[in-house]
Amino acid sequence: MGHFRKEYKRLVSESVNALELRYRPETMNKDTDKATKVQNYKLMNKLQRMNQEASLNCWSYHQNSESSKAKNLARSFVELEDSTGSIAGRMIGDTIEMFLHRSAKRLVDITSSVLTYNIGHYEKGTYAGFGQRSYPQLSYVKDGFLDLVELSRSFKTDPIMNPFSSGTRLRDMIRAIRACKTAAEERAVVRKECAAIRAAISENDQDYRHRNLAKLMFIHMLGYPTHFGQMECLKLIASPGFPEKRIGYLGLMLLLDERQEVLMLVTNSIKQDLSHTNQYIVGLALCALGNICSAEMARDLAPEVERLLQFRDPNIRKKAALCSIRIIKKVPDLAENFITPAASLLKEKHHGVLLTGVQLCTDLCKVSTEALEYFRKKCTDGLVKVLKDVANSPYAPEYDVSGITDPFLHIRLLKLLRVLGQGDADASDSMNDILAQVATKTESNKNAGNAILYECVSTIMTIEENGGLRVLAVNILGRFLSSRDNNIRYVALNMLMKAITLDSQAVQRHRATILECVKDSDASIRKRALELVYLLVNESNVKSLTKELIDYLEISDPEFKGDLTAKICSIVEKFSPEKIWYIDQMLKVLPQAGNYVKDEVWHALIVVITNASDLHGYTVRSLYRALQTEGEQETLVRVAVWCIGEYGEMLVGNAGMLNQEDPITVTESDAVDVVETAIRRHSSDLTTRSMCLIALLKLSSRFPSCSQRINDIVIHYKESLVLELQQRAIEFNSIIEKHQNIRSALVERMPVLDEATYSGRRSGSVPAAVSTSQGAPLNLPNGVAKPTSAPLVDLLDLSSDDGPALSSSGGDFLQDLLGVDLSPASTQPGGNQAQKSGTDVLLDLLSIGTPPAQSSPSMADMLSPVEDNKSSVDILDKLGSPSGPPAQASPPVGSSPMMDLLDGFGPISSAPVAENNGPTYPALVAFESSSLRVTFNFSKQPGNPQTTLVEAQFVNKSPNAYSNFIFQAAVPKFLQLHLDPASSNTLPASGNGSITQKLRLTNSQHGKKSLVMRIRIGYKINDKDVLEEGQVNNFPRDL
Amino acid sequence: MIRGVIVMNDRGKPRLVKFYEFQPAEKQQELIRSIYRVLCSRAENVSNFVKVDSLFGQDVRLVYKTFATLYFVFIFDSSENELAMLDLMQVFVETLDKVFSNVCELDVVFNFNKVHTILEEFILGGQVLETNSSEVVKTVEEILKMERAANSIKVVPSIPGWQGR
């Protein structure tokens, strides 16, 4: 020993001196020749090895003197810029690590001095641009630093050595992975490691098996595949040593799963370990079993676990208890074996065992009614007593969580009592006292205390009725709501949501506090509270609650306004006691949050307004006032414009004044001003502008004095780039200018919209009536604007069409008009689609029932209406004059279609009803090319609105016959398509016959999305293949 | 039942991942990423509970807490008391603090399997095993002692390997 010591000392000082002599920092420079460097490296290495040996022999006191030299040496190496330097950098780390492992005392001075130096050096290097050239070296220094910080921590507490670093290479690997700058680098490192581990596995390396597995677990955590290491777990578990077994079991839990056959192989090892003399090994086996046990394992090992429930050491007993839970969950049949041992666990004094025992009983009750009955009879009183003891126990520091003794045990006990008390009056009765005591005595200023209270409330809510306790429970929740802690408020709202079904009266008492939570700064709490308020609303409190919510609406966060508005609207609609209140509330919401109001909500509002005939004047005046102060809320503008259009004269004439109303003076031109502002408003969208145009048309008849002005505004839009507006402007302009005599009839006030039909339609399209906020688009304008605009459009279209349409017999007139509209659908696919986008509402306003497929010829005609529609003017005159008051005298034959049209107000406005009963749909030309026309006829099976039967008819327009005719169709996912065989596969030439084929389409999004289809048609002309393709998106909407 | 425990840093790197019901490796990574997205989008001063039904199924929520650079996340179903989970997390972190004396992210990174051992003393098969921090520390120390005893026997053979890198 003495000799070695002396020898070591000599060697160290010699080599260090030699090195220092040659490599003092000042003599170091770049052109030091390589050989010397290598030599020095060797010396360094030797020195390091000696250090290593020295430390191994615990000669740490020597190192105190020698290390400073080593340190200096290392420092000088770090200054080198090439690979030698980086090796040196690494050596510093290694040397230090080595020392650290052996001697904690070394740590203090070496870390402080070397690290200070390293950091300084690192920074200096980086600043000097040094970093780029000698990156590896610096990264080692940096890494060494991180490593040391980490090491220094573990050694402060664990001075001898770190038992978990059973090798340095796991640490090395983690360090290397941490040093990676990019994912690709990381992958490369992991790949290299995995390759090495695979090699070790195939060599059946014993020594490093557990280290390799530990590495694999780290790699697994990062998300790389590690399946090749699975068998290693088994080998480790089977090995005798504790560290190997520990890593083996850990790997088993992390890398494997119960679905693997490997588990079969491990069963035997676990069985042996469950009977091991070392209780920690028994603990490991129990833990693994509790985490991954499969049904087979459960059957095989249940007796062992059952035996361990009576083991002398409490740590094993509690693990066995939780392991039993896993077993009975996997194989419920085994439950009965565990009932008696579980019951005996409830008499335990050890808190940990008691906790797990209670948990085991709770889970037994869940899987077995037999167990439930047993515990209910035999253990309820005992549990009540245990809870009483725990609740009254003096302060026990070891189980203390922020001042409360063992909250977890409280909670587990309360939970088991809940299970026992649910549905059993006797058991519930016996626990009333203790629940009351826990509910009143537990301190609620700490999270732990609140956790107990929360669990207690939950138990009170679940067990059999006891009014007094429930009130107590709800009061606790009420107190929670005023807590400053977000978490407490959050759980309280959750629990109140459950409580409301049990005792809404008690919850109602905390309405004010809940309302305060709607105004909370925490978004998730606001959301919860709003849902709760929504549940709290009833006929008696709707007025006060709505007032509160609407008041808050003004100051709420923009991102919360959407939710809040939806809920307010839904509440108002559902509970409104009278129409005027409903209208008033909506008139408060619209100016504040009109932009958040959903379409169906303002549609519903309009329906209500039309029905409240005594409130028309009041409503239109209120809207007018609102619009004066707030013109930027889209839906407010729409509703106001609609009402002014309909009830303009009541606005001006102060008609239908209510008592509480202040009179206002509005002139006709003021009313037109409002609409004009709205249509000119920059942010108005197409729907609003279209509605404005209709309103203007209506006003032109109501206010003759403003007629000229209105016409000027309308004319302005004849040049609109938006086709829809342009068309309206042109049509309306011609009505104003040329058809004075029928105008007043055309723009009569809307008929009252049927509320029942509307709500029927609505509930039909919205599965859950409660969720009005996300109801399907139910376009009321369908009903609103249809009667007025549909005949208009048809009329005007008619004017641009030529003879044949007019000459067709009267009864089919309307049909033909629609047909004319439809037929050229595919000739202008571009325009068609452009219009389709974003104009669904508009389609409804136009209400042709199909997308506005304007054929180019008719468009052209419309753009130059004056010149060549002489005939139509004639017709109109002819039609118009006798039928001034429409449909009275028996009209001449030619005019009957016109009559029908004008008369059409009534029937068409009730169209929705008709659609519900048995809708009919016009035929549709789905596809047309120069050689082929495809027509679709639709029918519906009664009682199955989702399914549409389509009969496709193919007509050959060319002079050649087609053979091998095949029709194919594709639909998006929300549709299902079934094709029946075609009637033939040859198509005679020149329309001398047709092929028909039936299709069945099921629309899973019925009412939300329209049908759409892509078609492909293949056939042969004179043995030449022809393929035609197209898309059909002009299906009637409600299919 | 507790469905899982995840510790990750504030950049989403997992530091400890433990699921108590089987999740394939890819799914685990996906869950970690989704949870990270949820957590980093949470504002300050909001409650620590998040509903994660969409990731784990009906009525599953998670509680999270930030300790220095680490997110601690417990995922659990409706049979657990949310507030108690918060306490359990507190006790777990306190225990880590005792074992590592002033725990930091690096301790967890380099000693992940030690952290697993500690976690095993708290939660077994998704159920709470022990809530007494000093009891856990005692057990973990016993385990360390055994490892150490086993290691000291093997110190000499392990040196060549150390050198050979």
Side-chain angles (χ1 to χ4, degrees):
Chain A
M1 208 59 154
H3 171 72
F4 183 70
R5 180 168 151 185
K6 212 182 275 169
E7 181 67 15
Y8 167 74
K9 220 174 159 181
R10 195 182 57 77
L11 260 172
V12 169
S13 53
E14 208 176 272
S15 52
V16 168
N17 287 342
L19 282 165
E20 273 211 311
L21 206 67
R22 264 184 286 177
Y23 281 100
R24 232 168 275 150
E26 60 271 20
T27 61
M28 287 271 207
N29 57 48
K30 282 182 203 162
D31 40 51
T32 315
D33 82 282
K34 199 138 194 177
T36 334
K37 283 184 198 164
V38 171
Q39 203 191 346
N40 285 330
Y41 170 59
K42 280 182 182 157
L43 262 174
M44 180 88 175
N45 207 352
K46 193 173 173 192
L47 177 69
Q48 196 200 3
R49 205 172 309 151
M50 286 189 301
N51 278 336
Q52 191 184 323
E53 281 161 17
S55 54
L56 197 84
N57 288 292
C58 302
W59 287 3
S60 49
Y61 52 94
H62 272 298
Q63 293 160 8
N64 278 327
S65 55
E66 253 56 70
S67 63
S68 65
K69 289 183 180 172
K71 190 177 72 190
N72 285 338
L73 187 64
R75 185 183 294 174
S76 61
F77 269 91
V78 172
E79 298 229 317
L80 291 174
E81 292 172 34
D82 59 8
S83 58
T84 333
S86 95
I87 293 166
R90 181 167 172 172
M91 264 186 189
I92 296 180
D94 287 349
T95 313
I96 292 167
E97 200 173 307
M98 204 52 206
F99 288 143
L100 296 184
H101 275 277
R102 312 300 165 208
S103 151
K105 196 162 178 300
R106 288 281 313 119
L107 173 79
V108 184
D109 49 291
I110 227 170
T111 39
S112 52
S113 58
V114 175
L115 282 183
T116 317
Y117 174 76
N118 279 347
I119 299 165
H121 185 76
Y122 175 64
E123 285 178 349
K124 195 177 77 193
T126 316
Y127 288 139
F130 187 61
Q132 292 210 321
R133 274 183 295 152
S134 55
Y135 158 71
Q137 170 192 351
L138 287 173
S139 85
Y140 267 111
V141 174
K142 183 188 166 195
D143 222 72
F145 164 65
L146 292 173
D147 206 31
L148 278 164
V149 172
E150 179 260 331
L151 269 171
S152 67
R153 291 170 166 283
S154 56
F155 278 91
K156 260 185 278 167
T157 52
D158 199 1
I160 301 158
M161 79 185 273
N162 184 346
F164 280 89
S165 59
S166 42
T168 44
R169 291 215 42 196
L170 169 62
R171 185 177 306 282
D172 253 8
M173 183 195 76
I174 297 177
R175 194 194 300 164
I177 289 175
R178 281 172 58 79
C180 292
K181 297 278 180 295
T182 64
E185 274 178 47
E186 186 183 292
R187 275 198 296 280
V189 172
V190 170
R191 208 163 30 234
K192 225 174 89 196
E193 282 293 342
C194 286
I197 295 170
R198 275 174 202 266
I201 291 172
S202 60
E203 282 164 21
N204 207 6
D205 181 310
Q206 303 266 338
D207 288 345
Y208 297 110
R209 185 173 279 149
H210 69 306
R211 180 201 288 173
N212 285 340
L213 193 60
K215 281 199 247 173
L216 275 184
M217 285 188 266
F218 191 84
I219 292 171
H220 177 81
M221 179 167 72
L222 297 176
Y224 296 94
T226 50
H227 50 272
F228 53 86
Q230 289 172 348
M231 289 309 287
E232 296 298 281
C233 298
L234 303 193
K235 289 183 193 156
L236 281 173
I237 291 170
S239 64
F242 180 79
E244 286 84 1
K245 272 188 191 295
R246 190 182 68 87
I247 294 289
Y249 276 117
L250 191 56
L252 184 72
M253 288 183 279
L254 293 178
L255 307 181
L256 297 191
D257 66 84
E258 57 190 270
R259 286 168 224 187
Q260 306 228 3
E261 292 73 24
V262 192
L263 282 184
M264 296 286 290
L265 302 172
V266 87
T267 310
N268 207 30
S269 297
I270 293 184
K271 189 165 190 164
Q272 279 173 11
D273 283 346
L274 286 176
S275 320
H276 204 279
T277 48
N278 182 339
Q279 63 167 43
Y280 289 97
I281 290 178
V282 179
L284 285 178
L286 277 173
C287 183
L289 192 60
N291 278 317
I292 54 146
C293 151
S294 65
E296 291 79 30
M297 288 171 92
R299 286 210 182 80
D300 288 349
L301 299 173
E304 307 291 326
V305 177
E306 205 187 310
R307 179 176 58 79
L308 290 170
L309 285 173
Q310 276 118 36
F311 198 79
R312 65 193 143 71
D313 186 88
N315 278 326
I316 297 301
R317 286 205 297 275
K318 67 187 186 190
K319 283 186 180 169
L322 292 190
C323 197
S324 313
I325 294 181
R326 172 92 184 185
I327 289 173
I328 57 161
K329 273 185 178 167
K330 286 286 157 193
V331 189
D333 298 347
L334 290 171
E336 57 182 305
N337 301 343
F338 285 93
I339 295 175
T340 336
S344 64
L345 287 179
L346 297 180
K347 300 188 184 78
E348 285 277 353
K349 290 282 170 280
H350 186 279
H351 280 217
V353 183
L354 192 52
L355 181 79
T356 53
V358 171
Q359 184 61 43
L360 173 58
C361 291
T362 314
D363 279 287
L364 277 169
C365 291
K366 276 186 203 156
V367 296
S368 144
T369 47
E370 187 194 340
L372 178 62
E373 286 307 317
Y374 180 88
F375 290 125
R376 202 174 259 165
K377 284 213 179 63
K378 303 263 166 95
C379 302
T380 309
D381 294 330
L383 284 167
V384 168
K385 189 173 172 306
V386 173
L387 181 57
K388 204 170 273 170
D389 289 347
V390 176
N392 296 328
S393 69
Y395 180 67
E398 67 271 30
Y399 279 95
D400 166 75
V401 177
S402 51
I404 307 277
T405 305
D406 207 347
F408 297 96
L409 185 56
H410 273 99
I411 287 164
R412 288 290 186 243
L413 283 166
L414 285 165
K415 198 169 128 192
L416 179 53
L417 287 178
R418 176 160 79 231
V419 174
L420 297 179
Q422 186 170 22
D424 187 291
D426 289 344
S428 301
D429 210 43
S430 59
M431 59 188 75
N432 277 342
D433 287 349
I434 184 66
L435 290 179
Q437 190 198 333
V438 172
T440 46
K441 294 247 173 86
T442 309
E443 281 183 56
S444 63
N445 49 0
K446 294 274 169 48
N447 184 56
N450 285 325
I452 297 175
L453 284 174
Y454 178 54
E455 195 70 30
C456 188
V457 166
S458 170
T459 299
I460 292 172
M461 292 293 177
T462 315
I463 63 167
E464 288 310 297
E465 183 77 43
N466 178 322
L469 273 183
R470 286 216 173 140
V471 171
L472 185 62
V474 175
N475 285 346
I476 291 174
L477 294 178
R479 212 163 63 222
F480 277 12
L481 284 183
S482 35
S483 157
R484 274 210 310 262
D485 186 336
N486 287 333
N487 294 330
I488 309 271
R489 283 202 303 272
Y490 181 85
V491 296
L493 288 169
N494 273 342
M495 187 58 89
L496 281 170
M497 210 92 98
K498 286 181 204 154
I500 199 164
T501 52
L502 291 169
D503 188 355
S504 68
Q505 262 334 95
V507 182
Q508 289 285 0
R509 276 199 287 281
H510 299 280
R511 213 165 53 214
T513 333
I514 297 169
L515 260 177
E516 281 311 301
C517 291
V518 175
K519 304 167 189 175
D520 203 275
S521 56
D522 183 342
S524 52
I525 288 179
R526 276 198 310 249
K527 221 173 152 192
R528 295 258 129 186
L530 184 62
E531 278 166 30
L532 191 56
V533 167
Y534 185 72
L535 293 177
L536 278 178
V537 177
N538 57 29
E539 278 78 7
S540 58
N541 61 20
V542 62
K543 287 196 174 176
S544 58
L545 278 178
T546 312
K547 182 175 181 310
E548 284 277 350
L549 292 178
I550 290 179
D551 287 349
Y552 179 62
L553 185 60
E554 196 176 352
I555 51 169
S556 62
D557 278 358
E559 68 262 31
F560 189 51
K561 272 199 168 114
D563 275 349
L564 189 56
T565 311
K567 283 281 188 284
I568 293 175
C569 294
S570 171
I571 290 170
V572 168
E573 198 181 334
K574 216 161 122 194
F575 293 101
S576 92
E578 60 218 348
K579 287 211 169 75
I580 182 164
W581 184 82
Y582 176 94
I583 292 171
D584 275 343
Q585 303 313 309
M586 288 310 295
L587 289 184
K588 281 184 204 157
V589 172
L590 288 179
Q592 279 172 17
N595 289 338
Y596 300 95
V597 169
K598 299 252 183 347
D599 278 353
E600 64 264 23
V601 171
W602 68 265
H603 296 167
L605 174 62
I606 286 184
V607 173
V608 170
I609 292 173
T610 62
N611 279 283
S613 52
D614 48 336
L615 298 173
H616 286 166
Y618 168 72
T619 309
V620 69
R621 283 188 294 275
S622 307
L623 281 165
Y624 177 82
R625 277 202 202 95
L627 211 52
Q628 299 297 313
T629 49
E630 178 55 70
E632 286 305 311
Q633 301 287 352
E634 195 78 41
T635 50
L636 173 69
V637 174
R638 287 185 194 168
V639 176
V641 162
W642 189 88
C643 286
I644 290 171
E646 291 297 323
Y647 313 119
E649 72 280 9
M650 302 178 94
L651 172 64
V652 175
N654 267 336
M657 283 292 286
L658 301 184
N659 293 334
Q660 72 266 35
E661 212 181 331
D662 298 325
I664 51 168
T665 329
V666 184
T667 64
E668 292 184 348
S669 101
D670 287 343
V672 178
D673 278 347
V674 169
V675 183
E676 187 179 4
T677 320
I679 199 172
R680 297 246 156 106
R681 200 173 62 112
H682 190 63
S683 56
S684 286
D685 68 3
L686 182 56
T687 311
T688 312
R689 292 199 171 141
S690 308
M691 290 177 76
C692 287
L693 280 175
I694 294 197
L696 285 171
L697 176 69
K698 294 207 158 196
L699 290 180
S700 76
S701 152
R702 311 234 200 298
F703 305 151
S705 66
C706 293
S707 191
Q708 189 48 49
R709 181 172 162 215
I710 288 172
N711 197 21
D712 292 344
I713 302 172
V714 171
I715 286 170
H716 179 76
Y717 283 90
K718 280 168 88 169
E719 281 153 33
S720 171
L721 289 178
V722 184
L723 183 64
E724 173 60 29
L725 293 179
Q726 189 185 51
Q727 185 185 353
R728 277 176 197 247
I730 291 166
E731 289 168 357
F732 295 172
N733 172 241
S734 97
I735 293 174
I736 293 169
E737 284 180 358
K738 302 197 196 92
H739 308 300
Q740 297 286 350
N741 42 359
I742 61 161
R743 186 176 64 188
S744 61
L746 275 177
V747 301
E748 263 183 357
R749 190 176 291 173
M750 284 287 298
V752 171
L753 298 161
D754 184 10
E755 270 175 301
T757 312
Y758 175 73
S759 49
R761 259 179 74 119
R762 190 164 170 173
S763 53
S765 57
V766 185
V770 187
S771 63
T772 41
S773 54
Q774 40 194 305
L778 94 135
N779 293 295
L780 176 77
N782 228 346
V784 176
K786 202 173 206 166
T788 40
S789 59
L792 286 176
V793 173
D794 294 344
L795 275 173
L796 291 163
D797 268 1
L798 162 70
S799 70
S800 62
D801 266 305
D802 43 14
L806 292 173
S807 63
S808 66
S809 71
D812 293 330
F813 190 44
L814 185 64
Q815 193 70 42
D816 278 358
L817 281 176
L818 290 168
V820 166
D821 257 352
L822 294 168
S823 52
S826 51
T827 56
Q828 254 203 338
N832 199 0
Q833 288 196 338
Q835 272 202 328
K836 197 168 165 58
S837 59
T839 57
D840 278 358
V841 180
L842 195 135
L843 296 182
D844 291 335
L845 286 172
L846 272 174
S847 80
I848 304 172
T850 55
Q854 301 297 341
S855 63
S856 43
S858 67
M859 264 310 292
D861 285 353
M862 282 207 303
L863 291 172
S864 54
V866 189
E867 286 82 14
D868 56 6
N869 64 359
K870 192 162 159 261
S871 64
S872 67
V873 172
D874 290 343
I875 290 166
L876 278 170
D877 285 345
K878 189 174 128 209
L879 293 175
S881 42
S883 60
Q888 283 187 351
S890 79
V893 182
S895 67
S896 70
M898 190 61 211
M899 296 295 307
D900 287 347
L901 279 178
L902 292 173
D903 241 357
F905 278 112
I908 295 176
S909 67
S910 61
V913 192
E915 271 169 32
N916 267 359
N917 295 343
T920 53
Y921 298 92
L924 164 75
V925 174
F927 178 81
E928 184 152 31
S929 67
S930 58
S931 50
L932 187 71
R933 185 169 67 224
V934 183
T935 323
F936 282 179
N937 287 301
F938 304 101
S939 60
K940 286 252 180 198
Q941 284 172 331
N944 192 356
Q946 292 198 337
T947 305
T948 309
L949 299 172
V950 181
E951 192 182 76
Q953 190 176 36
F954 307 93
V955 176
N956 185 348
K957 291 161 74 178
S958 75
N960 306 309
Y962 300 160
S963 61
N964 293 18
F965 187 93
I966 293 174
F967 168 74
Q968 291 168 304
V971 290
K973 282 203 182 101
F974 66 90
L975 294 175
Q976 267 188 344
L977 173 69
H978 177 85
L979 274 173
D980 285 344
S983 60
S984 157
N985 66 353
T986 50
L987 193 56
S990 315
N992 289 328
S994 62
I995 296 178
T996 56
Q997 185 165 13
K998 286 202 166 104
L999 293 79
R1000 194 166 66 236
L1001 278 162
T1002 309
N1003 184 353
S1004 62
Q1005 304 262 13
H1006 178 69
K1008 292 184 192 144
K1009 291 190 180 171
S1010 335
L1011 299 183
V1012 60
M1013 184 188 286
R1014 199 182 281 274
I1015 60 172
R1016 183 153 75 172
I1017 298 153
Y1019 49 86
K1020 282 188 172 174
I1021 312 175
N1022 305 329
D1023 279 347
K1024 223 177 75 194
D1025 282 318
V1026 179
L1027 199 63
E1028 297 197 55
E1029 288 181 315
Q1031 180 155 352
V1032 190
N1033 38 21
N1034 53 350
F1035 282 98
R1037 274 176 65 79
D1038 302 318
L1039 286 181
Chain B
M1 176 180 168
I2 299 169
R3 301 286 184 91
V5 173
I6 298 174
V7 179
M8 60 174 115
N9 72 1
D10 49 12
R11 277 163 300 153
K13 272 267 171 206
R15 292 307 183 204
L16 177 87
V17 179
K18 177 88 182 177
F19 286 102
Y20 291 99
E21 48 185 19
F22 174 65
Q23 305 279 4
E26 313 79 60
K27 176 87 175 155
Q28 289 190 8
Q29 295 302 313
E30 195 189 310
L31 289 171
I32 293 168
R33 279 194 297 273
S34 332
I35 290 175
Y36 176 67
R37 271 199 300 276
V38 171
L39 294 191
C40 55
S41 63
R42 299 275 292 179
E44 275 181 45
N45 282 331
V46 298
S47 69
N48 298 50
F49 307 115
V50 186
K51 278 194 120 186
V52 282
D53 303 27
S54 52
L55 301 179
F56 291 90
Q58 192 63 40
D59 242 353
V60 177
R61 52 205 96 169
L62 62 79
V63 55
Y64 71 96
K65 217 167 171 182
T66 327
F67 294 90
T69 55
L70 291 177
Y71 283 119
F72 281 72
V73 180
F74 280 26
I75 302 145
F76 54 94
D77 61 23
S78 57
S79 66
E80 298 289 338
N81 179 319
E82 291 102 325
L83 297 175
M85 285 296 112
L86 203 57
D87 273 340
L88 185 65
M89 184 183 288
Q90 185 67 36
V91 176
F92 176 54
V93 176
E94 274 170 19
T95 309
L96 287 182
D97 217 39
K98 278 184 201 163
V99 173
F100 291 106
S101 76
N102 211 357
V103 68
C104 76
E105 184 176 343
L106 281 166
D107 293 322
V108 179
V109 175
F110 283 98
N111 298 299
F112 71 96
N113 56 29
K114 190 173 180 178
V115 179
H116 269 294
T117 303
I118 297 167
L119 184 63
E120 274 171 18
E121 292 302 317
F122 272 108
I123 303 170
L124 195 158
Q127 310 288 349
V128 181
L129 177 66
E130 179 58 69
T131 57
N132 179 345
S133 163
S134 40
E135 186 104 340
V136 172
V137 173
K138 213 171 74 193
T139 317
V140 171
E141 267 167 9
E142 286 291 324
I143 292 174
L144 301 193
K145 216 184 282 171
M146 289 185 49
E147 292 252 338
R148 210 172 296 148
N151 272 0
S152 63
I153 303 164
K154 306 179 66 190
V155 147
V156 178
S158 78
I159 291 302
W162 177 84
Q163 242 175 0
R165 58 178 160 163

